[in-house]
């Protein structure tokens, strides 16, 4: 069946859209074909309004209501555009919404709030909509984030040793995937969010990010500022044992806000912006490398917008002592991997498959999300067994103008990775 997924990450840089064909192929094998992924710009400076909710700003119920509506409408429009491109009528839309607050205190997640009222998405598409995919895991004692390990465990199993999936969004998250598919996942800290905050300030609001890492490439790393940044309490939560991961390790922009950055820079005597960006790139690289080193990975497979920052990728390659590649080489588009994850999570919810952010065996998985009926009466398929194997048939088309024709097929299963054509 075809699933439409529309999502925006912590960067709030636009709406990622995916058209993904998912089906049970045999037994517990899931077949996944990425038909297309692309990014739609936010209408009406909505991204800036969402970022303006972050601390130290306070917000009103009126503004939250307006944003809940505006995000829901934007997702609805993007989902309708995706539906028009689908080769057959999609079965459902997955819309996790935009995180506006992720409340982690003393290592526990007390709540998480995503806006994007799904009724608008149903109204725009007539399809059932699965939303609110984080809160059930929070209610069950987890953090509701990161959820990437659900896909990564299926996708990267079968390596010659542990493989690491690394997503470089506003926040960086990793999944450590053992050859047998067992997976540990957590947020290491900022990937782009501090970089974006510094780029906005450095350019007086002209730039939303340090395009191609140009400023950071001109700067030099400031060791004292780097040390001060490394004293952020989140890095001390880097998981050292499975019990800690069972409780969850996640973070958000609340902990790495523009206010935090301003304070750190003021204490460092407000250094020049190129040096600040170089130091923040180094911070992202060393905190990721430190977080994964003890797992002795054989490779790190990166995705997310940060893969488009060559200065960040070079710093990461220097800090990691193992090969760094991007997810495209293993069948999932680097810019669209998160939206493929949401499509998979929606498919699993639709089929009654429980999942968890915790390592296997530490916390009972739950069926995630909330289902809004579409125009037709809601008919759910029979529940399926949790998939244990994923076959990726993929060729992403990179933009609305390109064809979704399948020209090559990559199969990843049981330790073998083969590319045809
Ligand atoms: N050309 C580029 N140069 C530098 N950074 C980039 C570039 N393209 C994207 N990015 C970074 O990627 C971020 C978006 O990544 P994304 O994976 O969408 O994150 P999120 O999931 O948090 O929305 C941008 O905010 C920006 O920091
Ligand atoms: Mg994004």
């Amino acid at each position: 069946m075809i699933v439409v997924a529309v999502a925006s990450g912590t960067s709030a840089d636009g709406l990622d859209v995916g058209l993904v064909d998912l089906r049970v192929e045999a037994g517990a094998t899931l077949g996944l074909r990425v038909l297309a992924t692309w990014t739609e710009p936010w209408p009406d400076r909505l991204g800036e309004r969402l970022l303006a909710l972050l601390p130290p700003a306070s917000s009103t119920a009126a503004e939250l209501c307006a944003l809940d509506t505006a995000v829901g409408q934007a997702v609805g429009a993007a989902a309708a555009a995706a539906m028009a491109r689908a080769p057959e009528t999609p079965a459902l839309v997955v819309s996790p919404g935009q995180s506006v607050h992720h409340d982690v205190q003393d290592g526990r997640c007390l709540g998480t709030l995503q806006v994007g009222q799904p009724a608008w998405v149903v109204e725009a598409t007539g399809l059932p909509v699965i939303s609110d995919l984080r809160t059930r895991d929070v209610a069950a004692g987890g953090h509701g984030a990161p959820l990437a390990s659900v896909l990564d465990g299926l996708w990267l199993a079968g390596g010659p040793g542990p493989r690491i999936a690394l997503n470089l969004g506003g926040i960086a998250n990793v999944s450590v995937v053992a050859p047998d598919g067992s997976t540990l996942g957590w947020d290491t800290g900022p990937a782009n969010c501090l970089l974006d905050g510094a780029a906005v300030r450095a350019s007086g609001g002209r730039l939303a990010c340090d395009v191609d890492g140009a400023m950071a490439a001109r700067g030099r790393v400031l060791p004292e500022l780097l040390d001060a940044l490394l004293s952020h309490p989140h890095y001390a939560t880097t998981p050292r044992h499975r019990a800690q991961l069972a409780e969850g390790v996640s973070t958000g922009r609340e902990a790495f806000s523009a206010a935090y950055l301003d304070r750190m820079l003021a204490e460092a005597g407000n250094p020049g912006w190129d040096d600040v960006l170089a130091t923040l790139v180094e911070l992202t690289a060393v905190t990721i490398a430190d977080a994964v080193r003890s797992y002795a990975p054989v490779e790190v497979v990166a995705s997310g917008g940060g893969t488009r920052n060559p200065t960040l990728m070079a710093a990461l390659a220097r800090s990691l002592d193992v090969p760094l590649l991007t997810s495209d080489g293993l069948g999932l588009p680097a810019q669209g991997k998160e939206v493929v994850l949401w499509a998979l999570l929606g498919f699993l919810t639709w089929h009654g498959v429980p999942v968890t952010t915790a390592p296997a065996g530490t916390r009972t998985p739950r069926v995630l999300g909330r289902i809004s009926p579409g125009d037709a009466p809601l008919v759910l398929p029979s529940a399926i067994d949790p998939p244990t194997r994923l076959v990726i048939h993929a060729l992403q088309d990179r933009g609305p103008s390109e064809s979704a024709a399948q020209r090559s097929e990559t199969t990843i299963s049981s330790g073998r990775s083969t590319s045809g054509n």
Side-chain angles (χ1 to χ4, degrees), residues 7-16 39 51 98 167-173 191-197 199 208-214 253 303-312 334-336 338 342:
S8 169
T10 47
S11 301
D13 57 315
L15 279 173
D16 296 324
T39 302
L51 291 177
Q98 172 71 50
N167 192 63
L168 297 167
I171 299 293
N173 65 66
N192 295 299
C193 64
L194 295 177
L195 289 167
D196 287 357
C209 74
D210 180 15
V211 180
D212 300 338
R253 285 188 87 121
S303 59
T307 60
R308 298 169 68 183
N309 180 337
T311 314
L312 176 59
Q335 304 309 318
E338 286 281 285
W342 290 118

Side-chain angles (χ1 to χ4, degrees), residues 134-201:
R134 298 190 189 277
T135 45
R136 181 76 196 277
D137 187 72
V138 173
H143 282 217
L147 284 158
S149 59
V150 177
L151 170 61
D152 296 336
L154 290 167
W155 173 49
L156 294 181
R163 285 163 145 176
I164 292 199
L166 164 66
N167 192 63
L168 297 167
I171 299 293
N173 65 66
V174 292
S175 304
V176 182
V177 184
D180 69 0
S182 58
T183 305
L184 313 172
W186 72 98
D187 286 341
T188 60
N192 295 299
C193 64
L194 295 177
L195 289 167
D196 287 357
V200 169
R201 292 246 188 311

